Amino acid sequence: MMAQQVNSPLLKRPRADRGAEEEPDSSEGFTFSQEPTLDQIRAMQNQFARERDWDQFHSPRNLLLAMVGEVGEVAELFQWRGEVKEGLPDWSEKDKKHLSQELSDVLIYLVRLAEKCQVDLPAATVEKIKLNKQKYPAHQVYGSSKKYTEYATPEKNSS
Amino acid sequence: MMAQQVNSPLLKRPRADRGAEEEPDSSEGFTFSQEPTLDQIRAMQNQFARERDWDQFHSPRNLLLAMVGEVGEVAELFQWRGEVKEGLPDWSEKDKKHLSQELSDVLIYLVRLAEKCQVDLPAATVEKIKLNKQKYPAHQVYGSSKKYTEYATPEKNSS
Amino acid sequence: MMAQQVNSPLLKRPRADRGAEEEPDSSEGFTFSQEPTLDQIRAMQNQFARERDWDQFHSPRNLLLAMVGEVGEVAELFQWRGEVKEGLPDWSEKDKKHLSQELSDVLIYLVRLAEKCQVDLPAATVEKIKLNKQKYPAHQVYGSSKKYTEYATPEKNSS
Amino acid sequence: MMAQQVNSPLLKRPRADRGAEEEPDSSEGFTFSQEPTLDQIRAMQNQFARERDWDQFHSPRNLLLAMVGEVGEVAELFQWRGEVKEGLPDWSEKDKKHLSQELSDVLIYLVRLAEKCQVDLPAATVEKIKLNKQKYPAHQVYGSSKKYTEYATPEKNSS
């Protein structure tokens, strides 16, 4: 997939401009920083590898396994806690910091893997969300965990 | 971690402005679309869940397991191929499309998980890359796979 | 690691012979079938691959990625449920069946991966449990979730 | 699924008794130790948890995340190596030891997860292998990587 400008209606009205009539987020206004963008992260990590001559190790499957390793580290942070609350109110600052680092590591390898596979990750994500909207029409699946489960985890052939 | 403006030297000069003297990418100029940004993806997915009343299912551990599931689907696309080349020259268009969708799914759940944990993912990633630069000084680790391996996978206590 | 007879005190008295004085399982007597053993599963899967001439695809990293894929499928079965109870009393028969298949798939690839790496998995597991007993002395860590967490997820260097 | 005696033709003739006419393993006679069996590992780990009063932490999803963490640690051992050869001839003794520990950790949590879900893992695995034999008839899929790929990773709906 070649890189191209995304032109989605969703992107036209920046968050800050959204009208007051709109239902508030459950996450009460928590937002991310506007930068770095995914392409900036890609460029930063590309430069990081080049400066160390590590590009040679960044084959797609090496990067995939590295990402699996980082997902494992995220899992380790959640493994003995039972369900945890939004915003992690019961976590220590140290654990939150650690989590933010491990999530970053997943992102870094995901971005690098996409680059090496020449997948335009931001554009692909817009496509995928569009597809999901068609697959799960809001009026059909609204609020139903049963329908949610059915829709979201269709019976697949186990391999 | 609260959202904040990132102010990294790396971000000051946009890619398009970089001078001709700079060493070219190994990925030969492959870039991502500039949009959507991570925060826009967060907002899109937040709206998607709200419109379906699915926010109730998006607890941190549910999202983490969903991300693990999507990483598994990426792995399935790579599992019987042996090593694959950069840019996936031997893959069918259908397989490349499928991969772009699965990588997007990983990103969607990663972003959603970060939102629900109130981790400012782009800012955290800048921090992490900065940390990695300190941890692996270019002059010490340059081009050495041995050093790379040692540095990148330090002996950890197995749990 | 070469295959060798394991000689662990734990193995000397078969389960069926254990005296009535012994504290009952928390899982109230749920046990596995005595067969197939891990080596029998290894042999069955080895034969399965040979009969299809699929041995050629079973390189260690291919098998590892296949295992990651199957772990992802297990995760998908658990992803939208919140915490689930022991014995899965709320699951449909169909979901339980599906889970038993996906757990089997993880085991099949784990066994095959161990075979291809020439790791004697049952012997290695005895060693690892022995190591864990030393690492987490019962009298020091008894019943303490805090201690459990500290011991079981030591602060590691994030990579 | 209740524990039950497995009665599979595959199990009737122990490995040691197999005739000389049989095609040799590709893995040249590498076998596992006969013990511990999966049920013995289950019992050992059950006792280990009971002695530490850690049973309380071993809910199915906690165990699943722990298994994901261990799979991540296996991935980390393979991540920067490119393809590796059967038997790991290029690995150091230390790395092999480390791998045998991480594979054991995956097995320990897999067994424990199955126990807590009351899945009779050895019996389920026999069932699954039987199913796979039907799904991939040897004469149809023999030696064909194309067919193998098609059969083994059927196009699934991406979620």
Side-chain angles (χ1 to χ4, degrees):
Chain A
M1 190 185 305
M2 293 305 297
Q4 52 178 82
Q5 266 325 103
V6 172
N7 201 353
S8 152
L10 271 167
L11 304 181
K12 283 191 178 145
R13 209 154 47 112
R15 186 182 176 75
D17 299 348
R18 293 203 316 232
E21 77 289 1
E22 211 152 309
E23 198 184 343
D25 271 12
S26 63
S27 298
E28 272 311 330
F30 175 80
T31 59
F32 290 166
S33 296
Q34 294 310 306
E35 292 207 320
T37 65
L38 282 160
D39 191 54
Q40 286 169 329
I41 292 167
R42 185 200 57 71
M44 286 156 75
Q45 197 56 25
N46 188 309
Q47 186 183 329
F48 177 85
R50 237 180 318 125
E51 286 170 358
R52 283 155 188 78
D53 196 23
W54 283 357
D55 209 63
Q56 55 184 309
F57 306 118
H58 286 186
S59 63
R61 298 222 309 182
N62 279 4
L63 290 164
L64 172 51
L65 287 173
M67 185 173 76
V68 170
E70 297 302 339
V71 169
E73 302 209 30
V74 175
E76 286 178 5
L77 287 170
F78 282 94
Q79 70 194 351
W80 303 122
R81 297 179 187 266
E83 197 48 274
V84 302
K85 291 182 205 138
E86 254 191 73
L88 314 180
D90 310 324
W91 288 41
S92 70
E93 280 313 304
K94 190 176 163 193
D95 283 347
K96 283 188 208 178
K97 185 81 191 164
H98 195 170
L99 176 64
S100 77
Q101 294 177 339
E102 300 302 351
L103 293 177
S104 299
D105 281 331
V106 176
L107 182 61
I108 286 168
Y109 285 123
L110 174 63
V111 162
R112 189 89 175 130
L113 174 59
E115 179 181 27
K116 290 297 186 178
C117 296
Q118 295 187 16
V119 166
D120 181 353
L121 190 59
T125 301
V126 170
E127 290 279 314
K128 191 53 170 59
I129 293 178
K130 219 178 284 178
L131 201 68
N132 288 343
K133 281 173 185 267
Q134 290 163 8
K135 234 166 112 187
Y136 312 117
H139 64 283
Q140 263 186 46
V141 300
Y142 187 84
S144 161
S145 90
K146 189 168 175 307
K147 274 184 183 154
Y148 182 77
T149 307
E150 276 167 24
Y151 274 85
T153 56
E155 272 312 310
K156 296 171 183 180
N157 304 335
S158 61
S159 66
Chain B
M1 189 186 304
M2 292 305 298
Q4 51 178 82
Q5 267 325 101
V6 172
N7 201 351
S8 152
L10 271 168
L11 304 182
K12 282 189 179 148
R13 210 154 47 110
R15 185 180 176 77
D17 299 348
R18 293 202 317 230
E21 78 288 1
E22 209 150 312
E23 196 185 344
D25 271 13
S26 62
S27 299
E28 270 313 329
F30 176 81
T31 59
F32 291 165
S33 296
Q34 294 310 305
E35 294 207 319
T37 65
L38 283 160
D39 192 54
Q40 286 169 330
I41 292 168
R42 183 202 57 70
M44 288 158 74
Q45 197 56 24
N46 189 310
Q47 186 184 328
F48 176 85
R50 237 182 316 125
E51 286 171 357
R52 284 154 187 77
D53 197 23
W54 284 358
D55 209 63
Q56 56 185 308
F57 306 116
H58 287 185
S59 63
R61 298 222 309 181
N62 279 3
L63 290 165
L64 171 52
L65 286 173
M67 185 172 76
V68 170
E70 298 302 339
V71 169
E73 302 210 27
V74 175
E76 287 178 5
L77 287 170
F78 283 94
Q79 69 194 352
W80 303 123
R81 298 179 186 265
E83 197 49 273
V84 302
K85 291 180 205 140
E86 255 193 74
L88 315 180
D90 309 324
W91 289 41
S92 70
E93 280 313 303
K94 192 177 161 191
D95 283 346
K96 282 188 208 177
K97 184 80 190 165
H98 196 169
L99 175 64
S100 77
Q101 293 177 340
E102 300 302 350
L103 293 177
S104 299
D105 281 332
V106 176
L107 181 60
I108 287 168
Y109 285 124
L110 174 63
V111 162
R112 189 86 175 132
L113 174 58
E115 179 181 27
K116 290 299 185 177
C117 295
Q118 296 187 16
V119 166
D120 181 354
L121 189 59
T125 300
V126 170
E127 292 280 313
K128 190 54 170 60
I129 292 177
K130 218 177 283 178
L131 201 67
N132 288 343
K133 280 171 185 270
Q134 290 164 8
K135 238 167 110 185
Y136 311 117
H139 64 283
Q140 265 187 45
V141 300
Y142 186 84
S144 161
S145 88
K146 188 166 176 309
K147 273 185 183 154
Y148 182 77
T149 307
E150 274 168 25
Y151 275 85
T153 55
E155 272 312 308
K156 296 170 180 179
N157 303 334
S158 60
S159 66
Chain C
M1 189 184 304
M2 292 306 297
Q4 51 177 82
Q5 268 325 103
V6 172
N7 201 352
S8 151
L10 270 166
L11 305 181
K12 283 192 179 144
R13 210 154 46 111
R15 188 181 175 74
D17 300 348
R18 293 202 317 231
E21 78 288 1
E22 209 152 309
E23 197 183 343
D25 271 12
S26 62
S27 297
E28 271 311 331
F30 176 81
T31 59
F32 290 166
S33 295
Q34 294 310 305
E35 294 208 318
T37 65
L38 283 160
D39 190 55
Q40 285 169 330
I41 292 168
R42 184 201 57 69
M44 287 157 74
Q45 197 56 24
N46 188 310
Q47 185 184 329
F48 176 85
R50 238 182 315 126
E51 286 171 358
R52 283 154 188 77
D53 197 22
W54 283 358
D55 209 63
Q56 56 184 308
F57 306 117
H58 287 185
S59 64
R61 297 222 309 181
N62 279 4
L63 291 165
L64 171 53
L65 286 172
M67 185 172 76
V68 170
E70 298 302 339
V71 169
E73 302 210 30
V74 175
E76 286 178 4
L77 288 171
F78 282 95
Q79 71 193 350
W80 302 123
R81 298 180 185 265
E83 197 48 273
V84 302
K85 291 180 206 141
E86 254 192 74
L88 315 179
D90 309 325
W91 289 42
S92 70
E93 280 312 303
K94 192 177 160 192
D95 283 347
K96 282 188 209 177
K97 184 79 190 166
H98 196 169
L99 176 64
S100 77
Q101 293 177 340
E102 300 302 350
L103 293 176
S104 299
D105 281 331
V106 176
L107 181 61
I108 286 168
Y109 285 123
L110 174 63
V111 161
R112 189 87 174 131
L113 174 58
E115 178 181 28
K116 290 297 184 177
C117 295
Q118 296 187 15
V119 167
D120 181 353
L121 189 58
T125 300
V126 170
E127 290 280 313
K128 190 55 169 60
I129 292 177
K130 219 178 280 179
L131 201 66
N132 288 343
K133 280 172 186 267
Q134 288 162 9
K135 234 166 115 187
Y136 311 118
H139 64 282
Q140 262 186 47
V141 300
Y142 187 85
S144 162
S145 90
K146 189 168 176 309
K147 274 185 182 155
Y148 182 76
T149 306
E150 275 168 25
Y151 275 86
T153 56
E155 272 312 309
K156 296 170 183 182
N157 303 335
S158 60
S159 66
Chain D
M1 188 186 305
M2 292 307 298
Q4 51 178 80
Q5 266 326 102
V6 172
N7 201 352
S8 151
L10 271 166
L11 305 181
K12 284 190 177 145
R13 210 154 48 112
R15 187 180 176 78
D17 299 348
R18 292 203 318 232
E21 77 288 2
E22 209 150 312
E23 198 185 341
D25 269 13
S26 64
S27 298
E28 270 312 329
F30 176 80
T31 60
F32 291 165
S33 295
Q34 295 310 306
E35 294 207 318
T37 66
L38 284 160
D39 192 55
Q40 286 168 330
I41 292 167
R42 185 201 57 71
M44 286 156 75
Q45 197 55 26
N46 188 309
Q47 184 184 330
F48 177 85
R50 238 182 315 127
E51 286 170 358
R52 284 153 187 78
D53 197 22
W54 283 358
D55 208 64
Q56 56 184 309
F57 306 117
H58 287 185
S59 64
R61 298 224 308 182
N62 279 4
L63 291 165
L64 171 53
L65 287 173
M67 185 172 75
V68 170
E70 298 303 338
V71 169
E73 302 211 29
V74 175
E76 286 178 5
L77 288 171
F78 283 95
Q79 69 193 352
W80 303 123
R81 297 181 186 263
E83 196 50 271
V84 302
K85 291 181 206 139
E86 255 192 73
L88 315 180
D90 310 324
W91 289 41
S92 70
E93 280 313 303
K94 191 177 162 191
D95 283 346
K96 284 188 207 177
K97 183 82 190 164
H98 196 169
L99 175 63
S100 77
Q101 292 177 341
E102 300 301 352
L103 293 177
S104 299
D105 280 332
V106 176
L107 182 61
I108 286 168
Y109 284 124
L110 175 63
V111 161
R112 189 86 175 131
L113 174 57
E115 177 180 29
K116 289 299 185 177
C117 295
Q118 296 187 14
V119 166
D120 181 354
L121 190 58
T125 300
V126 171
E127 291 279 313
K128 191 53 171 58
I129 292 177
K130 220 178 282 180
L131 201 66
N132 288 343
K133 280 172 185 269
Q134 290 162 9
K135 237 166 112 185
Y136 311 118
H139 64 283
Q140 264 186 44
V141 300
Y142 187 84
S144 161
S145 90
K146 188 168 176 309
K147 274 185 182 155
Y148 182 77
T149 307
E150 274 168 26
Y151 275 86
T153 56
E155 271 311 309
K156 296 171 180 180
N157 304 333
S158 61
S159 66

